[in-house]
Amino acid sequence: MTVDVHRTIDAVWRMESAKLIAGLTRVVRDVGLAEDLAQDALVAALDQWPTSGIPNNPGAWLMQTAKRRAIDGMRRGSMQDRKHEQIGHELESKQESVVAELDEALDDNVGDDLLRLIFMSCHPVLSTEAQTALTLRLVGGLTTEEIARAFLASEPTIAQRIVRAKRSLTDAKVPFEVPRGAELNARRSSVLAVIYLIFNEGYSATGGEDWVRPGLCEEALRLGRILAELMPDEPEVHGLVSLMEIQASRLRARVGPSGEPVLLLDQDRGRWDRLLIRRGLAALDRAEALTPMWGPYTVQAAIAACHARARTAEETDWARIANLYSTLAQLTPSPIVELNRAVAVSMAFGPAAGLALVDELTDEPSLKSYHLLPSVRGDLLTKLGRFDEARVELERAASLTRNARERELLLERAAACERGATR
């Protein structure tokens, strides 16, 4: 019975913690202090629910408990000592009115607060690594241990990163608000980038023994869906959600029976999740309806949609995908985008055409340690029957990747080239 209660508490915490922290941060103006208050409510639940039972509205119970802790802290003056300047001098003379204000404020709709929390977690005063860890902790409700495990980092490292991030936000007096104007556009891009970074680490793990980590993909999808609800008129938010939904639909097909990678063209499309595809296409339609000027996430979602709509690999509209990559290259010029365009060109117009584009990237400094450059080049050389050259490229790709499963796949392909060259 206790085990079931603890599982319920864990599920409730994942759903409600961000709202708790967001509502408290608005009033106490310190994300670290707000998290402490929310954690106090969680501890109270762990202590009381196994005996008293799960409340009818567990989220409201946690909010009410956190609220009481905040009010008690103000009455004791502990918050005044810690956050005197931020909360204001009126705490000294009008404590009761501030308590009432806190009580009322925490009963407001939390949608705006949650949006503020997301933007605060992704403030540019923090590094990308810190933004990612803090977003997963505060908005995703993940524990430090879970974040460390997901990113193959030590728990103390992640804990220090989170503590420093919260301290940096406090020291920089980062306001608890959604920015406006040009700053909003810049910060929104940062928020979307952090969410997509989380998704990509789950979709194609950069290191470790596993090819995919579905838990991270699910968390990124949840964050994206929250953001889409909070910012319904932002086309790029829906573009990102569409991209993640469609890519996530392939997760089951990306891994073989023994955990080995299965590449896109070799996947059993019957294992693709049709519900996620429908959701992704609906999000793409919504993004397109909001503006005729597509952003980079919407373009990438359109590319993913081309794959999703093809019943077989042979039916894929590679010419359209190549054109979409050209559009993406204009929006966000990048050697990686050009590499992807080269793959699409090779599928549409032959491996020689693709190889010519890849060869233009071989001297690109930013791709020197990028394992997919020699991987793609090796694949194209294999298709052209240049097996010795292909083997060298694939072995180099294997030496560059940090993912064990991917390394095995690349070495298998290199060995196949060696066999092909001896025939």
Side-chain angles (χ1 to χ4, degrees), residues 85-104:
E85 292 182 6
Q86 287 87 342
I87 297 176
H89 295 289
E90 72 272 12
L91 286 178
E92 294 179 340
S93 58
K94 300 180 180 180
Q95 190 179 68
E96 291 304 320
S97 65
V98 174
V99 167
E101 182 181 326
L102 171 63
D103 196 25
E104 180 182 350

Side-chain angles (χ1 to χ4, degrees), residues 151-231:
F151 284 93
L152 303 179
S154 71
E155 193 171 342
T157 296
I158 294 297
Q160 289 177 2
R161 191 173 294 168
I162 292 171
V163 168
R164 288 171 182 164
K166 290 187 287 190
R167 187 182 302 133
S168 295
L169 293 176
T170 300
D171 292 346
K173 295 182 171 60
V174 173
F176 186 63
E177 64 182 16
V178 175
R180 298 179 180 178
E183 187 183 356
L184 171 61
N185 292 328
R187 291 273 294 282
R188 182 172 54 238
S189 296
S190 178
V191 170
L192 296 178
V194 166
I195 293 174
Y196 195 41
L197 185 154
I198 294 168
F199 181 88
N200 273 335
E201 185 58 32
Y203 188 75
S204 184
T206 55
E209 300 295 325
D210 297 320
W211 172 241
V212 298
R213 298 188 189 125
L216 275 179
C217 292
E218 292 168 7
E219 199 56 47
L221 260 174
R222 188 167 75 86
L223 294 173
R225 290 166 183 162
I226 289 172
L227 198 60
E229 290 179 6
L230 298 176
M231 306 183 77

Side-chain angles (χ1 to χ4, degrees), residues 3 7 66 71 81 114 121 126 128 130 142 155 163 185 191 251 283 317 327 373 396 407 413 419:
V3 173
R7 286 176 179 167
I71 291 171
D81 294 337
L114 191 51
S121 300
L126 304 177
T128 300
L142 272 65
E155 193 171 342
V163 168
N185 292 328
V191 170
L251 282 172
D317 189 347
T327 301
L373 176 61
R396 180 167 179 268
R407 185 180 304 113
R413 290 166 60 194
R419 291 192 297 270

Side-chain angles (χ1 to χ4, degrees), residues 37-86:
L37 291 166
Q39 291 281 352
D40 285 346
L42 174 63
V43 170
L46 290 168
D47 180 55
Q48 298 178 34
W49 290 6
T51 303
S52 64
I54 306 296
N56 291 331
N57 190 335
W61 189 98
L62 287 171
M63 180 62 83
Q64 186 65 29
T65 301
K67 182 194 305 183
R68 284 200 302 268
R69 298 297 172 99
I71 291 171
D72 289 346
M74 282 186 173
R75 284 177 172 151
R76 289 194 308 269
S78 61
M79 285 190 193
Q80 287 174 274
D81 294 337
R82 294 180 62 182
K83 297 302 301 170
H84 182 82
E85 292 182 6
Q86 287 87 342

